[in-house]
Amino acid sequence: MARENLQVLDALDSAKTQLYHFTAIVIAGMGFFTDAYDLFSISLVTKLLGRIYYTTNLKAPKPGTLPPNISSSVTGVALVGTLMGQLFFGWLGDKLGRKKVYGLTLILMIGCSLASGLSFGKSPKGVMATLCFFRFWLGFGIGGDYPLSATIMSEYANKKTRGAFIAAVFAMQGFGILTSGIVALIVSAGFDHAYKAPSYEENAGASTVDQADYIWRIILMFGAVPAALTFYWRMKMPETARYTALVAKNAKQAAQDMARVLNVDLEAEEQKVERLAENPSNSYGLFSREFLRRHGMHLLGTTTTWFLLDIAFYSNNLFQKDILTAVGWIPKPQTMNAVHEVFRVARAQTLIALFATVPGYWFTVALIDIIGRFVIQLMGFFFMTVFMFALAIPYDHWTHEDNRIGFVVMYSLTFFFANFGPNATTFVVPAEIFPARLRSTCHGISAAAGKAGAIVGAFGFLYASQPKDPTKRDAGYPAGIGVKNTLIVLGCVNALGMLFTFLVPEPKGKSLEEMSGENEAAADDYEGAGSNRTVPA
């Protein structure tokens, strides 16, 4: 039997790019800007936290660092919260609607960004407990933004440029990472100029001025600003027509909302909505045999590729300061005062973000609807594998002072091809291939698998990268396998990502209903997502 589709959905699919598309990108994208700022700004201040709260022996050769359990908690607790938020808000977005849940995630992000800069008491235990508590709930709110932003943008976009629009929302993550570095540069430079201090090896006690305690608080609290600026506009967005028509079964409201957005006359088509609702192919649940038949391999593909990608991506991002210190691009801690160390770490992150991370995202935006998701993802995993091995195998060569710039260039290219590659596509595809009533849930599951990988990367890299030589290890850490072997492991992880990419279908040029089978007039005539398990050349 023939396919049929609602007029309002056809109008969205064929709509010319116009102002409301860009408005939606900015509104949803600022959430991702905030997400990235909040998740990655913590890596800029962990060394400072160690100096302030854990320098207990001023005669030690190096300044204090966060103990292993504290460091892993401070770095990883937001990721745990994000994972749980992705699952919860992804499910809630399909039950209550995208718009109703969208504001709640932003409120959580604003409140917990501000609270992250506060602390109960002045003891290290009180400060770290407070920081971890609020960063968990900050991550919970961030988690909700993943499935909701992706789903909203996919359901607003036309099919010709849908990939670019969803990727543009995600690309704001790059600006969030860049901005966290810039804010840290400005704040640390200001404090370094105002409060002169000697290096740790010159005078350990005076190398960390009392005012340094304000630096990490200001940097973390700034994350509330971009989220607050977009709250009003997020609340004004109408519910997506696909949710209103296909899930809430309110054809009249969907037509009215999109008629205003598109500035065209649209028919309600209530009878067609009823026919689609009665079709068994539009009523199966997530834990049904029918879902497994149609989308089981798709969900396996989106979860495994995102999981593998985030092991490498978050290891690189959260611990780039340790990698760059190991090869000497960031000076040794004892040669700097506490504030200047923040400046040098922030400068390194800012340069990598500016020249590798941000351009990678926008290459994806420019090309995703031309060469497709599959090609970009496979290519990204391939080059991440190549550059990881190129850094790891001759690692001793890169540690020599004359070769450090070469290391940084190669290392930066792993960021470029992560973002012009699977870091963007793993976000885009789950928002395109599942049915509307399960779209947010399945995206949340895929994203949560990614955050599970991020947790593996954050906790695993912290310990694995420690050298065997006890004189070179951070205090309190057991011997690891070293940076060289850790990079080899990450290269192997990326190679696995290439293999699992073949489970993911190519949605380029197809409507959401074609991919999910929701516009089929009969269940047994389904030819959409289930037949797309092989990727077209």
Side-chain angles (χ1 to χ4, degrees), residues 27-28 31-32 34-35 38 85-86 88-90 92-93 97-113 137-149 152 227-228 231 234-235 440:
I27 294 171
F32 265 89
T34 306
D35 297 349
D38 289 331
Q86 286 164 335
F88 176 73
F89 286 114
L92 203 62
R98 291 61 160 127
K99 181 185 175 180
K100 287 182 181 178
V101 184
Y102 212 25
L104 181 59
T105 63
L106 207 61
I107 292 171
L108 264 175
M109 288 158 60
I110 294 169
C112 293
S113 288
W137 290 108
L138 173 64
F140 194 71
I142 289 171
D145 222 47
Y146 274 73
L148 293 171
S149 290
I152 285 172
F231 181 77
R234 188 173 282 201
M235 291 298 92
S440 179

Side-chain angles (χ1 to χ4, degrees), residues 90-91 93-94 98 147-148 150-152 154-156 240 242-243 246-247 291 429-446 511-518:
W91 168 79
D94 283 333
R98 291 61 160 127
L148 293 171
T151 300
I152 285 172
S154 71
E155 293 181 346
Y156 264 106
T240 70
R242 284 183 162 90
Y243 180 86
L246 299 176
V247 183
F291 177 86
V429 174
E432 300 181 293
I433 63 177
F434 298 107
R437 66 187 178 281
L438 300 172
R439 185 169 292 133
S440 179
T441 300
C442 290
H443 194 285
I445 292 171
S446 303
S511 74
L512 299 180
E513 287 69 44
E514 283 181 87
M515 292 305 301
S516 65
E518 289 168 290

